[in-house]
Amino acid sequence: MTYQWDFHVVGQYLDLFLWGLVYTIVYTIGSIVIGIVLGAAVCGARLSSFVALRGIARVYQELFRCTPLLVQLLWVYYALPLLIGATIDNRVAALLTLACYVGAFYSEIFRSGIVSIDKGQREAAAALGMSRSQSLRRIILPQAIKRMLPSFINQSVIQFKNTSLISVISVADLAYMASVVNGQTYRPLESYTVMAVFYIAMLLPLTQMADYIEKRLRVSD
Amino acid sequence: MTDTATDAPILEAIGIRKSFGPLEVLKGIDLSLTRGEVVALIGPSGSGKSTFIRCMNMLETPTDGTLRFRCRAIGDRFEDRGDMIGIGTLRRHVGMVFQHFNLFPHMTVLQNVVEGPLTVLREPRREAEERARDLLSQVGLSQKCDAYPAHLSGGQKQRVAIARALAMQPEVLLLDEVTSALDPELVGEVLAVIRRLGEAGMTMAIVTHEMAFAADVAKRVLFFDKGVVAAEGTPDEIITHPRSERLQGFLARFHE
Ligand SMILES: Nc1ncnc2c1ncn2[C@@H]1O[C@H](COP(=O)(O)OP(=O)(O)OP(=O)(O)O)[C@@H](O)[C@H]1O
Ligand SMILES: [Mg+2]
């Protein structure tokens, strides 16, 4: 049997897709921004000399890296309210969970970038009389950031795709809207194909850019 | 006043001990450097020369003993505190050159040299760059100001590293085997720079395996063995006419 493609019906719901895309972008960028702050703080904690701080950071990292994002979303939205005795707005739950999830990965990317810098660099900075923060800002970070950029972009691309999971707690992102359109039109093939095309259109330039940056960085080393 | 000031030690290590876990690497080392003096530290591998010279600018924290700069004790904090000089202050006045150069790869040669004066001394850029260009021409690298370290030979890198240390206008320079990572044909150009520094009156402590160079440039030689100074004296006493068997055995290896 041959399927009769008909994008016309689905096309009428284009505004829903676009709204969904806006949500997806907002949650991706929002969670990345919070995730960077969180990741930097946790990275600092992991590298600090306080054992307790290192321990807490470690527990956070493993908790969020070793459970699926879907499980985290369900837990924060359905289970956590029972513990704290108050409901959590699904959009807040979605944003915070996404941020904590990506923050755990960012923190590890940041940490391994920093410790990968030869210890002679830190010593040369120290021997010039630089303080720890001067050495970090002027010598270590510029080199570490360059090194961590490819993994950072990679993780961010994954994050963009992961955002689709927030549809399970009814946040109206692109994936959620695709299922809404499917419900209205009974055209799953077209609905979900349009969704997939939107994801590809957003992410292809990003992955290309990541490859380009990685190549550039390799040349300049 | 000025006479006693020049004779007084600038940098002084008293009874320095250092352990790494159960391993005692330095077992009480004394060294005092007076202004303009060049001291060479020689000795077999693992005898503690690097550890000691790194204690002199607190890159290693001694387990015991005292370090004094201009007769004032160095504290264990970065900032000055009361009578104690901070580690930051010590390092601003005591430069170091490393075996593996440790140039900053993300900066050009000129940026490497002005980094300390700009960030640490907060000098105006014009002034810092002027001095940096001057220093780079003294080490024969005025052509390389805008090159990145990756594009330099080992000898050129080490000369940049020396210029970078000198840009801080240090009163003492610590050098740890600065020619050991170089191809043999590049050693001479670096030694020539150091020799000129010594003639110009720079106070230096030099760890080296280049015996002829040590004998030539140093006024005093310390022979390290198993964490102690096993012999100390003029180059003539230590290198040319060594008396102890241990020292003769060590030196014999350098005469092929
Ligand atoms: N960070 C460290 N942790 C543990 N042991 C160390 C450390 N640094 C040095 N050591 C040990 O201390 C001893 C002295 O080392 P050091 O580098 O000072 O010797 P050296 O005289 O400079 O030798 P070389 O001529 O090979 O450079 C060695 O046994 C070395 O293994
Ligand atoms: Mg050594």
Side-chain angles (χ1 to χ4, degrees), chain A residues 118 120-121 123-131 134 138-139 142-143, chain B residues 54 78 91 94 98 102-107 115 119-120 122 164 168:
Chain A
D118 179 49
Q121 292 291 305
E123 291 184 350
L128 286 174
M130 285 193 200
S131 65
Q134 285 173 332
R138 299 287 308 162
I139 309 303
Q143 297 180 60
Chain B
R54 288 159 58 82
F78 191 78
R91 290 177 183 160
V94 178
F98 301 87
N102 299 345
L103 292 180
F104 306 132
H106 59 303
M107 297 179 178
E115 182 58 29
T119 302
V120 179
R122 304 205 179 284
R164 176 176 69 179
M168 294 292 289

Side-chain angles (χ1 to χ4, degrees), chain A residues 119, chain B residues 20-21 23 25-26 43-52 54 60 99 176-177 207 209 224:
Chain A
K119 87 180 201 307
Chain B
F20 292 108
L23 179 71
V25 173
L26 299 178
S45 184
S47 58
K49 306 178 298 294
S50 294
T51 306
F52 176 69
R54 288 159 58 82
E60 300 287 359
Q99 178 175 356
D176 188 6
E177 291 197 38
V207 174
H209 288 297
F224 274 62

Side-chain angles (χ1 to χ4, degrees), chain A residues 4 14-15 41 45 47-48 54 66 96 102 110 118 127 133 136 153 162 166 173 175 179 184 187 196 200 206-207 212:
Chain A
Q4 288 294 305
L14 188 65
D15 56 334
L47 297 174
S48 90
R54 284 206 304 268
C66 298
L96 289 184
V102 80
F110 296 165
D118 179 49
S133 70
L136 192 67
I153 295 177
N162 277 340
I166 64 178
D173 76 323
S179 61
Q184 302 275 327
R187 291 221 159 246
I200 292 172
L206 275 178
T207 53
Y212 175 73

Side-chain angles (χ1 to χ4, degrees), chain A residues 1-13:
Chain A
M1 87 176 195
T2 55
Y3 185 84
Q4 288 294 305
W5 290 84
D6 182 3
F7 284 105
H8 182 70
V9 189
V10 171
Q12 289 173 337
Y13 292 90

